[in-house]
Amino acid sequence: QVQLVESGGGLVQAGGSLRLSCAASGSIFSMNTMGWYRQAPGKQRELVTTILRGGSTNYADSVKGRFTISRDNAKNTVYLQMNSLKPEDTAVYYCYANHYYSDYWGPGTRVTVSS
């Protein structure tokens, strides 16, 4: 019954910003870890950032200082504020959520950064 739905992807110029959102719906009241992964063409999926239920975060070195993850536990929603975007940020971004033994993935939203 759990479903993750991403929104906010699109086309942006280098140096611009985008804000991604991911809402978890279904029977789950509150997820544990939530986060974002991305997959660029021809490359494997990589971790971008995660946030724990209590708010602790981690970031990949490639996005540190540019991306900010946040969450609203009441809404089971996670956000990704992406600033100073670079062409190498171009990828399909996937929302991730964990609830105890179960992992959930969104269908992905495409982010394209033009130079």
Side-chain angles (χ1 to χ4, degrees):
Q1 293 182 359
V2 175
Q3 184 179 17
L4 304 182
V5 180
E6 302 107 333
S7 63
L11 175 65
V12 65
Q13 292 181 319
S17 299
L18 283 175
R19 182 176 175 85
L20 306 183
S21 299
C22 174
S25 62
S27 61
I28 305 299
F29 177 76
S30 182
M31 295 292 184
N32 295 331
T33 300
M34 300 188 74
W36 295 90
Y37 290 70
R38 68 186 182 187
Q39 187 168 20
K43 296 185 177 182
Q44 68 180 51
R45 188 176 300 185
E46 66 175 350
L47 174 67
V48 177
T49 177
T50 59
I51 182 168
L52 303 185
R53 198 180 194 278
S56 297
T57 61
N58 76 278
Y59 297 90
D61 288 341
S62 59
V63 306
K64 201 169 298 181
R66 299 188 298 118
F67 291 10
T68 303
I69 188 171
S70 61
R71 66 186 290 170
D72 184 335
N73 290 335
K75 297 181 178 179
N76 267 339
T77 299
V78 63
Y79 306 93
L80 182 63
Q81 179 66 47
M82 304 185 293
N83 298 326
S84 301
L85 282 162
K86 304 174 180 179
E88 50 262 45
D89 295 318
T90 295
V92 176
Y93 283 71
Y94 296 92
C95 180
Y96 165 83
N98 167 265
H99 185 257
Y100 295 101
Y101 60 89
S102 298
D103 295 327
Y104 304 97
W105 294 91
T109 185
R110 180 171 286 105
V111 171
T112 302
V113 184
S114 62
S115 60

